[in-house]
Amino acid sequence: MAEGKLILCVCGGGINTSLNAKNKINEYLSEQGIHDVEVIHAMIGDINPYRGRPNMVVVWMTQIDPTFDAPGVQGMSFVIGSKKAKAQLCEQIVQKLNEVCGG
């Protein structure tokens, strides 16, 4: 059975910035009627179990780690961006997830 779609929000402590991103993304997904995506937040030290997972996009609230070998975006707009920037970032994340998932 294939793993479902996942958006993994990652920050240094797994508490503040990644949780903020998770909440904004969940709000956007709900507004768009998208209900088949799991959004989780995690501390950078706890993400190795997700390495190599299919159907996943990483939202990096820290520096992007190219060795993690997963499609990702820089997510600091969730913290310091305008409402428009946050919406555009959500659109970018969903588009990237659809590309990864073939849909």
Side-chain angles (χ1 to χ4, degrees):
M1 185 170 148
E3 294 184 79
K5 297 176 184 177
L6 174 67
I7 298 171
L8 177 62
C9 303
V10 179
C11 70
I15 298 169
N16 190 14
T17 59
S18 61
L19 179 59
N20 186 22
K22 173 188 172 184
N23 291 339
K24 296 289 184 192
I25 294 167
N26 274 327
E27 181 181 308
Y28 175 84
L29 294 173
S30 179
E31 289 171 357
Q32 299 301 312
I34 301 170
H35 304 289
D36 63 341
V37 178
E38 180 181 12
V39 184
I40 60 173
H41 69 284
M43 189 167 67
I44 197 162
D46 295 332
I47 62 172
N48 271 337
Y50 298 98
R51 191 177 294 271
R53 187 185 194 280
N55 301 331
M56 176 180 69
V57 171
V58 181
V59 178
W60 295 96
M61 305 306 288
T62 61
Q63 196 168 19
I64 292 176
D65 179 0
T67 66
F68 193 68
D69 195 29
V73 298
Q74 177 50 252
M76 284 307 291
S77 289
F78 288 122
V79 177
I80 59 174
S82 66
K83 186 174 182 176
K84 182 178 179 181
K86 292 171 187 172
Q88 289 172 334
L89 184 54
C90 285
E91 290 171 13
Q92 179 186 358
I93 292 165
V94 170
Q95 180 180 17
K96 191 171 287 253
L97 186 61
N98 285 336
E99 289 170 8
V100 168
C101 297

